[in-house]
Amino acid sequence: MRARLRGQVNDFINSSSTFLPDLEEGDLKPMEDEVITTPEDEYVEPEENVDGSLDDEEGIEEEDEDEAASVLPEAITLPLPSNITSKKIKSSLESLLSIERELRKGQANDALEGVRIGLANKSLLLLTDVNKSRSTKQSTRAWSSVRNAQSQILLHANAYHRAWQALNSIENSEDLEVYQKLDGKHLVVVKDITAAKRYGQGSDGLAWFWRIGPNEESLTGEWMAECK
């Protein structure tokens, strides 16, 4: 996977020279990693290798020792307009910034939709499969599904964080009013599903990302109907 990613990164960097001026290493700001986790009282150990991609090694050549010893490809800062620190250079790239802004908004919308579906799915699984388990085998299978949903939630949450960082760097105030910072405290199950008759239900509210994104007509699936 790293060999394939390194090739993609190198191709991107070579192609970017057509559109961007010559950049020094200090002109690019690296992405800030942030681990997003659910609150402790709702934590579920996520499954690893959800999409199976780590096992997909067919047709991938192994990296040689020199490449393996260098900077890992996932840690390389890509020459994107949002990663440029120089305001002088940024001001000359307004058209590219506008394009990246729209792409990042699309990335953020897709990621938030994945978070919403994952949380609704996890909530429904806890209400049905987990609560209705009558044997160890059923319980194990049910919790496996919950862990899978948890993995998907964290995957999409981290994707949103990367998009939000880029939008924050582009500094469009309208976007930052819509796309807010995602915290772990927001990644909680939908209690209107898991505890529909709880005390204080009327004063509870959903996190901000439930109020943006696709309209009602585009939401499909049993879990989204239950969430509504």
Side-chain angles (χ1 to χ4, degrees):
M1 286 183 66
R2 284 200 170 111
R4 179 171 53 191
L5 179 59
R6 191 181 299 279
Q8 293 173 340
V9 169
N10 290 337
D11 290 343
F12 182 88
I13 292 175
N14 292 334
S15 299
S16 68
S17 61
T18 307
F19 306 96
L20 297 174
D22 293 334
L23 298 171
E24 302 293 335
E25 186 176 349
D27 292 330
L28 294 175
K29 175 184 68 175
M31 276 285 186
E32 298 176 5
D33 291 330
E34 180 175 333
V35 179
I36 302 177
T37 59
T38 53
E40 185 176 350
D41 59 341
E42 292 195 9
Y43 180 76
V44 177
E45 185 69 30
E47 284 193 346
E48 297 181 357
N49 307 350
V50 173
D51 57 2
S53 56
L54 291 178
D55 300 322
D56 184 15
E57 299 177 354
E58 184 177 352
I60 304 299
E61 296 181 1
E62 292 186 4
E63 295 180 286
D64 58 39
E65 292 184 1
D66 292 337
E67 286 185 329
S70 63
V71 178
L72 296 177
E74 62 266 33
I76 296 175
T77 302
L78 295 178
L80 292 165
S82 62
N83 289 335
I84 296 175
T85 58
S86 170
K87 292 189 175 182
K88 182 178 179 181
I89 296 177
K90 262 189 175 181
S91 63
S92 65
L93 300 173
E94 289 186 5
S95 60
L96 290 180
L97 277 170
S98 177
I99 293 172
E100 185 183 358
R101 176 193 169 206
E102 293 303 316
L103 291 172
R104 292 295 190 177
K105 286 164 64 177
Q107 181 185 9
N109 287 333
D110 289 345
L112 288 178
E113 183 177 4
V115 170
R116 288 191 294 265
I117 291 175
L119 287 172
N121 192 21
K122 178 182 174 183
S123 303
L124 195 59
L125 288 169
L126 289 171
L127 176 67
T128 56
D129 293 18
V130 172
N131 287 347
K132 296 180 181 179
S133 298
R134 296 294 179 264
S135 66
T136 302
K137 183 178 180 180
Q138 288 180 341
S139 179
T140 300
R141 185 180 302 159
W143 279 107
S144 177
S145 298
V146 172
R147 288 195 297 271
N148 184 274
Q150 178 71 11
S151 299
Q152 294 296 334
I153 291 167
L154 296 179
L155 180 70
H156 292 298
N158 289 322
Y160 175 80
H161 177 67
R162 290 191 291 272
W164 180 84
Q165 274 194 304
L167 290 171
N168 192 44
S169 176
I170 294 172
E171 297 180 333
N172 184 290
S173 58
E174 293 181 3
D175 294 340
L176 296 179
E177 288 180 5
V178 176
Y179 301 100
Q180 303 173 33
K181 184 176 175 61
L182 186 64
D183 293 323
K185 64 183 180 183
H186 297 135
L187 302 181
V188 295
V189 296
V190 185
K191 290 184 172 58
D192 284 347
I193 295 178
T194 59
K197 298 180 180 180
R198 69 192 182 282
Y199 177 77
Q201 180 181 9
S203 60
D204 282 352
L206 294 171
W208 59 268
F209 55 79
W210 289 96
R211 298 185 291 274
I212 68 174
N215 56 35
E216 288 186 19
E217 288 73 19
S218 63
L219 295 177
T220 59
E222 181 184 356
W223 47 86
M224 295 308 293
E226 289 286 343
C227 180
K228 177 184 176 183

